[in-house]
Amino acid sequence: LKARKSQDYMFAIDQYNEALNKVSSDLSEEAILFKFTLHEHLSGLYQMVLQPAAQLSHLNRYREIAYQMRNDYFIALSELELGRYYNRRNEHAKSLQYYSEAFRVGNRINYPGIKAHAQMNLARTYRDLEQWDEALKHAHDAATSFQALGQDSFTSEALTVIAMVYAEQKQWNQAIVQYLNALQVNERLGNEIGQGLNHHNLAEAYFNLDNGPAALTSIAKANAIFTAKKVKHYLVFNEALYAQILMK
């Protein structure tokens, strides 16, 4: 709650680690499930405070516990998370390996949500590899699946992936359409951080179309959100884009 409401990530990390220490020697099924959850949450928190080594350590333990429990659903989740980790670090071969395994396991257990997440992340990786057709195919499939499941937050993410594929190809008008679609979803959800990211991306697109007034409007909205939420890791990139827009 502290991490979500006030972005007090280090407080949250300390609390999670204290909980983990208290059950470290407990081998009951309940404790194993609890440790599985703690490692997942800690990996996310260390990502937010930009400590990749600690994040990877918890992701590996997360995956080890999934295989220890022999639970395909948990295995697929852990494979997805490791795929995301390596994708962020531009290790695309590794990320494709983990995403493909998550998709394979997801098909075997017929969990549409798992398959949708694997498709979305495969789309991100193909985007980074500049395989545009594959990226758009997986991203559209993911968006359709999340809409069918009623998972609007992930629908917004899939729409953003589609927009970024267009942006990478300098097709800025198509990108703007998808960013605006994602923004509508985040406004409906009340997801302010998501709205801030959408405004940042819109500012970049307008900037590249030489639409200065629209770029300034969007970047100011993003700045206001990131400042209020105290998310400095996003604010750094936003301030840099803000400066570029003002200089141009």
Side-chain angles (χ1 to χ4, degrees), residues 15 24 27 42 56 86 88 110 115 121 127 135 137 169 179 204 208 241:
Q15 295 296 301
S24 60
L27 300 179
L42 277 164
L56 180 59
Y86 285 110
R88 293 187 192 102
N110 194 30
K115 289 190 287 186
N121 288 289
R127 174 201 64 198
K137 176 186 178 299
Q169 299 176 83
Y179 285 139
E204 179 189 33
N208 281 283
L241 179 58

Side-chain angles (χ1 to χ4, degrees), residues 82-98:
L82 276 159
R84 291 188 184 105
Y85 173 85
Y86 285 110
N87 185 272
R88 293 187 192 102
R89 300 187 68 78
N90 296 318
E91 297 185 44
H92 302 307
K94 283 187 177 180
S95 67
L96 278 174
Q97 171 192 331
Y98 287 112

Side-chain angles (χ1 to χ4, degrees), residues 30-31 41 49 58 76 111 155 238:
E30 293 84 356
H41 289 197
V49 297
H58 286 287
Y111 269 88
T155 300
N238 210 64

Side-chain angles (χ1 to χ4, degrees), residues 168-239:
E168 290 288 336
Q169 299 176 83
K170 312 300 181 187
Q171 298 178 23
W172 299 109
N173 287 313
Q174 293 95 322
I176 286 169
V177 170
Q178 298 298 332
Y179 285 139
L180 288 171
N181 289 338
L183 178 60
Q184 285 183 336
V185 175
N186 282 321
E187 286 175 343
R188 186 167 68 247
L189 292 171
N191 178 1
E192 293 182 74
I193 299 296
Q195 292 173 52
L197 292 169
N198 294 146
H199 285 302
H200 174 93
N201 290 328
L202 282 165
E204 179 189 33
Y206 288 127
F207 170 72
N208 281 283
L209 287 173
D210 293 325
N211 188 339
L216 283 171
T217 297
S218 294
I219 202 72
K221 288 179 180 178
N223 234 42
I225 291 170
F226 295 147
T227 300
K229 289 293 183 180
K230 300 178 182 177
V231 280
K232 293 181 179 179
H233 50 291
Y234 290 144
L235 192 57
V236 169
F237 293 102
N238 210 64
E239 293 282 7

Side-chain angles (χ1 to χ4, degrees), residues 3 8-18 20-21 38-59 85 88-89 233:
D8 194 347
Y9 300 121
M10 294 312 302
F11 173 85
I13 286 170
D14 289 342
Q15 295 296 301
Y16 273 107
N17 278 318
E18 185 174 347
L20 190 58
N21 287 335
L38 290 172
H39 284 298
E40 178 196 12
H41 289 197
L42 277 164
S43 70
L45 287 164
Y46 278 116
Q47 178 193 337
M48 296 301 287
V49 297
L50 306 179
Q51 295 188 30
Q55 181 191 359
L56 180 59
S57 175
H58 286 287
L59 283 176
Y85 173 85
R88 293 187 192 102
R89 300 187 68 78
H233 50 291

